[in-house]
Amino acid sequence: MCGIVGAVAQRNVVPILLEGLRRLEYRGYDSAGLVIINGGLQRVRSIGRVASLTADCAAQQVHGHIGIAHTRWATHGAPTESNAHPHVSGGLAVVHNGIIENHEELRSRLKGAGFSFASETDTEVIAHLIELYYRQSKDLLDATRKAAAELEGAYAIGVVSEDSPNRLVCARKGSPLLIGLGIEENFIASDVSALLPVTQRVMYLEEGDVADIGLLSVNVFDAAGNKVDRSVHISELSADMAELGNYRHFMQKEIHEQPRALTDTLLIAVAQDHIQPEWFGFDAAEILGKVDAVTFLACGTSFHAAKVATYWLEEIAGIPAHAEVASEYRYRTSVPNPNALIVTISQSGETADTLAALNHAKSLGQDKTLTICNVPESALTRASRLKFLTRAGPEIGVASTKAFTTQLAGLFLLTLVLAKLRGRLTPAQEVEHLTALRSLPNKLQQVLALEPEVEAWSHRFANKNHALFLGRGVHYPIALEGALKLKEISYIHAEAYPAGELKHGPLALVDEDMPVITIAPNDQLIGKLKSNLQEVRARGGELYVIADGDVGIEESEFVHVIKLPGGHNGALSPILHTVPLQMLSYHAALQKGTDVDKPRNLAKSVTVE
Ligand code: AGP
């Protein structure tokens, strides 16, 4: 969703701001803008891509040593130039991520105080509120702090004023914001990837922090106004990790990066001879040893990973597990279990629904919390007692791919740890599981080699309006994930069902225009699945089966089969069966000519409820 970049330097900051915005494009946005202070405020805003903002800045020869920039994903007010950030009031300008819940009340108060509004946004109230206090104190930090104290909701804000041409003030609550530290130059951003070309040294702001940033100084104050030290981190990410390289799309690159991403994620485990709770934190043995159930809270693809894990946990670790859609959890009356392990799963670590669900779980006295997350120092990792970092690297494509398979890897390790702590694993099983994990990246590489066959299927999908995905058992969530991927990037309507449910309703949809994509591992349900497939064929449905090599389903005119190398892959089978579905949606989207990495209406990090 929205992105923030700000800079104060001795050099021209315009290229830094524009490159930062370009690097935040993946988050999803519909307009972009910046303000530079060069004598007075110079503002440029543009609907659409950062490229058009860049062209406008070049045409207007904008340059200066301090500025703030923003990509906006419309919430309050349409994606128009007047609604694009920065918003100005008097001689100051503001960029904002998040949502101000009391904006209507503030708007009428500010109108009463004589301010007029030029946009429909909630952000504009922040600009005027800071200006109101600035008129009294003539101090940007003081005014920002006072205004921030009156904001309800979530915000990360950057503020500059033409009266203070070497001073950048920022504040955060509920939305992420970090400070990038350079040499005689400093930066702010909502996401570290925006700053990687200029610095890897970052300081994450905490809830309620306000910071005053100059060329040579960074002063951070907590919500109570005390000056505080926030630790400096060296980001493990490098500027080129978020580059496309030889690939056509980030999604394609990220699908192909999966063997590497899994190798990195599993490194902590496969280098060992034994399963160890410490993979999840130094005090994990104590916390995990006391839990008697697992509750997952997650959204979208991360929710599907949670669903897979519930099957693993009940079968292998013998512990009750259930997965909740995070956006629903806090609005229903649930029965809290103080001994449950609350597991949040998130690529970004900043999904507002998941964060709110975690806080709700804690407020119900459930404090044994773990997050499985791809972003160190994200809001979720900081809010959880235990953490497991997936090492997928930056995921730029809106459609989650490598984040999903690495989440599954982390969840499988959690399953093994809980199984061991509960006395459910023999030493031989322990060795067997670790051996299987060691060979997973290679097997995944072999599945990627099936891409030409998957691509050939995709040609048949381009003219379809609907598709049905079937799976059984632990592969049902993989069918859900396949359907989500297809609808998300190709805009083909897709539904997923456990194959046994077909006859209870969805079979009515099946005809020759409904492709039925089926996951067919050679597990204990294969006989029943084959019967379900006969039900489809008997109604004229065309089958696309992704099968284990030894499953014994043969190709015919209306039955298309792609066989994974070898036989059944045991508990790790869902990870391998996911990849052809990712490739299928990617190639179907190419056939349809959609914007693969930035599908319409979607954002990468969903930071609003
Ligand atoms: C996946 O392809 C989607 N873009 C989306 O469902 C995503 O998984 C969801 O928004 C959760 O995001 P998170 O993992 O960053 O919390």
Side-chain angles (χ1 to χ4, degrees), residues 174-399:
S175 294
L177 194 67
L178 55 94
I179 299 172
L181 305 168
I183 297 166
E184 300 191 2
E185 55 185 16
N186 290 306
F187 313 92
I188 60 168
S190 50
D191 180 332
V192 67
S193 59
L195 300 183
L196 291 173
V198 284
T199 186
Q200 285 174 292
R201 294 178 65 225
V202 294
M203 192 185 268
Y204 293 91
L205 293 182
E206 306 221 335
E207 284 292 276
D209 280 356
V210 181
D212 190 3
I213 302 164
L215 280 173
L216 302 171
S217 62
V218 170
N219 292 307
V220 183
F221 304 87
D222 66 13
N226 304 310
K227 193 164 178 299
V228 285
D229 288 327
R230 299 287 178 229
S231 44
V232 176
H233 299 260
I234 309 297
S235 172
E236 289 177 16
L237 305 178
S238 62
D240 58 0
M241 280 177 104
E243 297 295 342
L244 204 46
N246 292 328
Y247 291 95
R248 196 166 156 197
H249 296 98
F250 280 106
M251 182 181 180
Q252 183 193 27
K253 177 181 180 231
E254 287 154 8
I255 289 172
H256 283 271
E257 277 177 345
Q258 289 179 105
R260 193 276 310 148
L262 279 164
T263 302
D264 291 353
T265 300
L266 290 168
L267 196 62
I268 192 170
V270 298
Q272 317 271 338
D273 294 327
H274 298 287
I275 288 157
Q276 297 181 13
E278 288 70 29
W279 297 337
F280 293 87
F282 74 93
D283 52 351
E286 198 201 326
I287 296 171
L288 296 179
K290 287 183 189 147
V291 302
D292 63 10
V294 179
T295 298
F296 290 102
L297 305 170
C299 304
T301 289
S302 298
F303 171 73
H304 297 155
K307 294 275 288 178
V308 172
T310 60
Y311 287 85
W312 283 336
L313 283 163
E314 298 215 341
E315 186 179 330
I316 301 170
I319 188 166
H322 77 285
E324 297 242 7
V325 171
S327 56
E328 289 289 313
Y329 175 63
R330 74 173 160 146
Y331 296 112
R332 76 176 186 87
T333 306
S334 56
V335 180
N337 171 4
N339 294 321
L341 178 68
I342 304 295
V343 184
T344 50
I345 307 173
S346 175
Q347 187 286 128
S348 60
E350 58 180 80
T351 301
D353 288 322
T354 310
L355 198 53
L358 172 62
N359 289 335
H360 179 66
K362 290 202 258 185
S363 75
L364 296 176
Q366 303 173 112
D367 69 344
K368 298 179 178 65
T369 55
L370 160 70
T371 194
I372 295 191
C373 187
N374 196 38
V375 180
E377 295 303 324
S378 63
L380 278 171
T381 52
R382 279 183 283 129
S384 308
R385 286 172 72 184
L386 302 177
K387 67 178 174 185
F388 180 87
L389 284 181
T390 50
R391 299 194 174 272
E395 191 179 66
I396 308 294
V398 162

Side-chain angles (χ1 to χ4, degrees), residues 16-51:
I16 297 171
L17 298 179
L18 291 170
E19 174 61 14
L21 291 187
R22 193 186 68 78
R23 286 170 172 271
L24 294 180
E25 281 190 299
Y26 76 95
R27 298 169 63 92
Y29 70 104
D30 34 50
S31 58
L34 57 72
V35 152
I36 296 295
I37 295 180
N38 194 352
L41 291 182
Q42 223 184 329
R43 177 168 64 169
V44 187
R45 296 182 294 176
S46 163
I47 304 168
R49 296 292 174 215
V50 171

Side-chain angles (χ1 to χ4, degrees), residues 474-487:
V474 70
H475 293 86
Y476 164 53
I478 302 305
L480 286 169
E481 176 59 9
L484 177 65
K485 286 285 90 84
L486 191 69
K487 63 186 132 188

Side-chain angles (χ1 to χ4, degrees), residues 468 501-511 514 539:
L468 199 57
E501 271 290 289
L502 259 188
K503 54 191 175 298
H504 298 292
L507 202 52
L509 296 170
V510 171
D511 61 15
M514 173 74 88
R539 274 86 191 167

